[in-house]
């Protein structure tokens, strides 16, 4: 049997091994599956995105809500991975790929320095191909087997735990003030991560919520806080609990997210091999983007393969076009823009807690009507601020924040 592309999946079905918060982006999907919105199992179209900065008993919120765009595709929508990945793999099959589920790729085969195929866990499970695209997700051992990257450090990987909590659709729409079929996302920073660098999230599905929280593995190791405890604390937070009330936990999931950024990125190509998605560290955590980068990189890997096939040249020189395409796209441009962020987040997790507290205190002060004049209130806020952070440290924080995000 011959097929243009073989798609190995270690799970019995696509999606059963996969975890994500659940927000996907329409533009990158439309680039590979035009008019996907007519058939894809989307949960809700996201029209309301909120950012919460929490203290133990308060929240400062920011957000953006809009009417659904009249022009397809939707910018962002929520998914559950099992139905979504099943549908996505079926699109690849319809385009001619051969899906081989229940099969783990255990190694790449190298001959004369080139990658010439893969070795699977099946009997007589060696397969040869002019090109292997490594897409095995976070902490890819195939990247290491192929000699393209090193094992990741605990500070280059976050661990996220998540529950899918069933709630009637009407209750979700009431609690999140949504029109039917529309969805909300909330990213939650501050006290909920108990001093660690990370964040929580609540995303709305049709009849359930995806609720999760995570932090750098190195910080779980240092603090000895268990991921389970962190999630329970998050769900019990006085601003979070009312949104979940009456919900029934249907699934509990855990997964790693690559956090190392550009500094931990493996080599992206070599003779006969390309690396895409989480295996290549392509995650922009600040903007909750990973699925879109994986899809964009997958498309660029495909375009590179078409050119290489036409030229009959699968050498690293020919495949370097993949890197050029990535460099010209948002994928490497955004990872480069935020390349200093992992160091800041890891080295200064206090910033994610102190500033939400200071902001909350300042707003609370201004909103509390206690007979003091507003100028006096400003003075109080400034005094409290400088008591917690001398002015030179405030300047340093602002400079470091600007440097990591500019
Ligand atoms: C909790 C969580 C929340 C997230 N939230 C979001 C979000 O809201 N929006 C967003 O854009 N991104 C989010 N991400 C990131 C996003 O999930 C990833 O960036 C994206 O899934 C990467 O796609 P991928 O194909 O590279 O890897 P994956 O989606 O991990 O897929 C890898 C696939 O390879 C298979 N596999 C692994 N090893 C082998 C092997 N040896 N042989 C055969 N098959 C193998 C796996 O079973 C899996 O199907 C989140 C991640 C997590 C963990």
């Amino acid at each position: 049997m011959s097929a243009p592309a073989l798609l190995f999946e270690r799970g019995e079905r696509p999606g059963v091994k996969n975890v994500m918060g659940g927000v996907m982006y329409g533009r990158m999907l439309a680039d590979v599956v035009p008019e996907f919105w007519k058939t894809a199992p989307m949960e809700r179209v996201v029209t309301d995105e909120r950012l919460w900065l929490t203290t133990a008993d308060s929240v400062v919120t920011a957000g953006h809500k809009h009417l659904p765009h009249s022009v397809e595709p939707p910018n962002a929508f929520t998914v559950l991975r099992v139905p979504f990945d099943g549908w996505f793999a079926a699109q690849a099959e319809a385009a001619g790929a051969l899906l081989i589920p229940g099969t783990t790729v255990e190694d790449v085969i190298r001959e004369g320095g080139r990658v010439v195929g893969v070795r699977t866990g099946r009997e007589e499970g060696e397969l040869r191909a002019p090109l292997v695209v490594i897409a095995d997700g976070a902490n890819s051992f195939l990247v290491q087997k192929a000699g393209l990257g090193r094992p990741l450090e605990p500070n280059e990987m976050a661990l996220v735990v998540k529950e899918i909590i069933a709630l009637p659709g009407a209750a979700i729409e009431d609690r999140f003030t949504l029109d039917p079929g529309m969805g909300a996302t909330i990213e939650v920073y501050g006290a909920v991560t108990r001093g660690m660098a990370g964040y929580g999230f609540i995303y709305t599905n049709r009849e359930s919520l995806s609720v999760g929280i995570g932090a750098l593995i190195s910080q779980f190791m240092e603090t000895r806080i268990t991921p389970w405890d962190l999630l329970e604390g998050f769900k019990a937070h006085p601003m979070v609990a009312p949104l979940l009330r009456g919900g029934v936990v249907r699934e509990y999931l855990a997964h790693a997210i690559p956090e190392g950024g550009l500094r931990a990125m493996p080599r992206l190509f070599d003779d006969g091999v390309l690396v895409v998605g989480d295996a290549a560290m392509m995650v922009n955590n600040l903007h909750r983007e990973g699925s879109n980068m994986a899809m964009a990189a997958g498309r660029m890997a495909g375009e590179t393969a078409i050119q290489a096939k036409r030229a009959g040249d699968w050498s690293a020189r020919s495949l370097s076009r993949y890197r050029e395409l990535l460099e010209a796209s948002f994928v490497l441009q955004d990872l480069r823009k935020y390349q200093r962020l992992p160091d800041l987040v890891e080295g200064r997790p206090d910033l994610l807690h102190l500033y939400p507290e200071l902001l909350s205190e300042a707003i609370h002060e201004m909103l509390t009507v206690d007979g003091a004049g507003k100028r006096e209130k400003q003075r109080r806020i400034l005094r409290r601020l400088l008591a917690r952070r001398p002015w030179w440290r405030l300047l340093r924080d602002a400079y470091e924040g600007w440097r990591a995000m500019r």
Side-chain angles (χ1 to χ4, degrees), residues 151-375:
L152 296 178
E153 301 294 333
N155 64 353
E156 291 171 335
M157 188 82 79
L159 178 66
V160 186
V161 283
K162 164 184 163 178
E163 284 179 355
I164 297 179
I165 300 179
L167 265 181
I172 292 174
E173 284 155 12
D174 274 358
R175 287 179 196 185
F176 290 80
T177 59
L178 294 167
D179 286 332
M182 299 302 119
T185 65
I186 310 180
E187 256 80 38
V188 189
Y189 288 87
V192 292
T193 57
R194 293 164 62 183
M196 296 190 285
Y199 67 91
F201 59 85
I202 306 169
Y203 302 150
T204 57
N205 304 312
R206 247 177 298 170
E207 302 270 320
S208 64
L209 302 176
S210 293
V211 180
I213 190 162
L216 288 177
I217 289 177
S218 54
Q219 295 184 346
F220 277 119
M221 290 159 71
E222 277 161 27
T223 59
R224 307 252 166 187
I225 295 170
T226 65
W228 168 253
D229 259 0
L230 192 67
L231 181 59
E232 286 305 300
F234 178 49
K235 285 165 43 187
H237 188 280
M239 304 299 149
V240 174
L243 294 175
L244 317 183
R245 196 167 292 140
V248 179
V249 177
R250 292 275 184 239
E251 284 182 55
Y252 181 78
L253 311 120
H255 206 276
I257 302 188
E259 293 262 357
L262 214 56
R263 71 169 183 212
M265 186 173 260
R267 274 170 63 209
L268 297 175
F269 63 91
D270 199 356
D271 292 312
V273 64
L274 298 174
V275 189
V276 302
D278 278 13
M281 228 354 117
M282 293 173 182
V283 175
N284 175 351
N285 279 304
L286 184 66
H287 290 267
R288 189 198 48 214
E289 294 180 24
S291 62
N292 57 334
M293 291 194 161
M295 283 182 196
R299 177 177 55 74
M300 290 178 233
E303 287 168 9
T304 305
I306 290 168
Q307 289 242 341
K309 187 167 165 43
R310 278 199 196 118
D313 180 0
W314 301 96
S315 67
R317 202 172 57 83
S318 161
L319 297 178
S320 66
R321 179 178 163 71
Y322 171 58
R323 172 128 203 158
E324 288 165 17
L325 290 173
L326 285 167
E327 291 279 4
S329 77
F330 75 98
V331 177
L332 281 186
Q333 286 168 9
D334 286 356
L335 290 173
R336 185 154 290 121
K337 172 173 161 55
Y338 294 120
Q339 61 185 307
R340 291 195 176 92
L341 199 56
D343 287 335
L344 182 69
V345 167
E346 189 208 343
R348 310 286 306 283
D350 57 316
L351 296 183
L352 289 173
H353 301 270
L354 178 71
Y355 287 102
E357 264 176 40
L358 291 171
L359 192 62
S360 177
E361 280 175 16
I363 293 174
H364 191 76
E365 178 67 55
M366 289 311 276
L367 295 181
T368 304
V369 180
D370 56 3
K374 301 299 180 237
R375 209 175 292 282

Side-chain angles (χ1 to χ4, degrees), residues 9-10 18 20-23 81 105 136 160 257 278 288 290-291:
E9 169 53 51
R10 67 183 165 165
N18 289 349
M20 74 183 283
V23 183
R81 286 290 296 256
V105 175
D136 56 343
V160 186
I257 302 188
D278 278 13
R288 189 198 48 214
S291 62

Side-chain angles (χ1 to χ4, degrees), residues 124-139:
E124 297 182 16
E126 284 197 5
L127 265 146
R128 287 173 178 256
L131 178 66
V132 172
V133 180
I134 296 179
D136 56 343
N139 206 16

Side-chain angles (χ1 to χ4, degrees), residues 6-20:
L6 304 184
L7 180 56
F8 289 105
E9 169 53 51
R10 67 183 165 165
E12 285 310 310
R13 282 181 296 133
V16 293
K17 299 272 187 194
N18 289 349
V19 183
M20 74 183 283

